[in-house]
Amino acid sequence: MTLIDGKATAAAIKQEIAAEVQQMLAEGKRAPHLAAVLVGHDGGSETYVAAKVKACAECGFTSSLIRFESDVTEEELLAKVDELNKNPEIDGFIVQLPLPKHIDSQKIIEAIDYRKDVDGFHPVNVGRLSIGLPCFVSATPMGIMDLLERYNVPTKGKHCVVLGRSNIVGKPVATLMMQKTYPGNATVTVCHSASENLKEICASADILIAAIGQPEFVTADMVKEGATVIDVGTTRVPDATKKSGFKLKGDVKFDEVAPKCAFITPVPGGVGPMTICSLMKNTLKAGKGVNW
Ligand code: GUN
């Protein structure tokens, strides 16, 4: 069994990005610039955005954090998105989700110029991904593909089962795994809450991508001997021994599943660290200019 080390892989990719930024500067270009819009003071969002700003510094990017209080109006937010769309100094930007209930998140996402949408959430990017055109791919699916590639996990012709059909993980990762590239070129099955014979389908997977958000859902009887298991789950469960008061639990019962696997990602330290790294990859791409 090989443990896939997302933390080390993310650190290596960030170093590669930093080297590319140095090269850009040496050529007289400016560093890529990411802006993050943060509304309110939600603890999780504060942590994520702080981590994104820190990762920008590690990569040599410029970053801007734009804050609004949670009573910001949709019009004010749309005006900021418009301003960022037009600002030539900003290569890419994100609006951290979730947004307060009085704001229509989809409206905000659709207002972002898809060429600056480094989250890959805009319908144009989602559509381009589905037909294999250059686009920004959202962070978690891209992080999964990078891990499969860096660990040389065979995917061509393999049966990949995706557990979960969310717009930000299940659907895009299924799309990527079926594309005629490496990693990819797999036979893909997407399972969800209404799937019959879910256990049997999972047990037939060469690659199982668990993204259903139910802690320890995947048990040993659902995993084929020699399978690769990618655990996308990050459910917070209370843990009084932790300073934060919680620990992260994956969708996979790691202790009993790991011995059966060829490759497996741990939680934490697997897919999680790769997601911010993917945002950095998209920002570099935006800074260099995508060939739309
Ligand atoms: N909230 C949780 N994850 C994400 C993400 O990847 N992007 C944005 N914009 N908000 C998030």
Side-chain angles (χ1 to χ4, degrees):
M1 185 271 288
T2 300
L3 191 65
I4 295 181
D5 188 339
K7 206 171 159 189
T9 308
I13 293 175
K14 278 187 276 187
Q15 277 194 359
E16 290 164 20
I17 295 173
E20 281 207 50
V21 173
Q22 286 311 310
Q23 184 63 36
M24 288 172 78
L25 296 178
E27 290 167 5
K29 298 176 182 140
R30 64 164 174 78
H33 187 167
L34 174 74
V37 177
L38 176 58
V39 178
H41 300 273
D42 170 76
S45 294
E46 291 271 3
T47 308
Y48 285 131
V49 170
K52 289 170 186 179
V53 169
K54 180 167 168 269
C56 281
E58 288 166 2
C59 293
F61 296 166
T62 308
S63 67
S64 301
L65 174 56
I66 300 152
R67 284 181 169 274
F68 289 96
E69 289 305 321
S70 48
D71 61 356
V72 65
T73 65
E74 198 171 270
E75 290 67 35
E76 285 172 306
L77 216 45
L78 287 168
K80 178 54 74 177
V81 166
D82 187 49
E83 182 192 318
L84 293 168
N85 281 341
K86 289 175 179 155
N87 185 344
E89 296 299 315
I90 303 285
D91 297 302
F93 66 98
I94 62 159
V95 179
Q96 188 66 23
L97 304 175
L99 292 171
K101 286 198 170 44
H102 66 278
I103 292 168
D104 181 347
S105 302
Q106 195 58 30
K107 199 167 166 185
I108 303 295
I109 289 169
E110 291 186 31
I112 298 172
D113 184 331
Y114 71 93
R115 292 161 299 190
K116 292 193 176 189
D117 167 40
V118 283
D119 260 334
F121 290 167
H122 192 285
V124 169
N125 279 314
V126 177
R128 292 178 71 97
L129 171 69
S130 79
I131 56 171
L133 293 176
C135 63
F136 289 120
V137 178
S138 62
T140 306
M142 195 205 291
I144 294 169
M145 301 307 275
D146 283 346
L147 288 177
L148 294 173
E149 183 179 12
R150 295 213 171 212
Y151 280 81
N152 295 310
V153 175
T155 61
K156 183 180 173 186
K158 302 296 180 191
H159 186 204
C160 173
V161 174
V162 179
L163 257 178
R165 56 179 158 183
S166 70
N167 289 339
I168 61 168
V169 185
K171 281 180 199 158
V173 85
T175 301
L176 288 164
M177 287 302 288
M178 77 171 95
Q179 259 162 14
K180 208 170 177 178
T181 50
Y182 176 77
N185 227 350
T187 305
V188 180
T189 304
V190 180
C191 291
H192 45 77
S193 51
S195 296
E196 290 178 3
N197 308 322
L198 190 136
K199 274 185 188 260
E200 290 76 9
I201 296 168
C202 289
S204 74
D206 300 303
I207 301 159
L208 180 60
I209 301 175
I212 42 164
Q214 288 191 43
E216 303 191 325
F217 182 86
V218 177
T219 46
D221 57 323
M222 294 165 71
V223 176
K224 183 161 89 175
E225 200 69 47
T228 292
V229 173
I230 305 293
D231 189 348
V232 189
T234 53
T235 306
R236 289 179 173 193
V237 296
D239 184 344
T241 69
K242 302 273 178 199
K243 208 169 74 183
S244 59
F246 67 85
K247 67 174 175 182
L248 291 182
K249 263 213 189 286
D251 287 349
V252 177
K253 215 166 194 177
F254 185 88
D255 290 347
E256 62 176 56
V257 168
K260 298 184 84 173
C261 294
F263 298 90
I264 186 166
T265 62
V267 175
V271 175
M274 294 296 292
T275 58
I276 287 180
C277 185
S278 302
L279 176 66
M280 298 299 112
K281 281 181 69 173
N282 276 345
T283 304
L284 177 67
K285 186 162 146 173
K288 288 167 121 181
V290 188
N291 188 13
W292 295 103

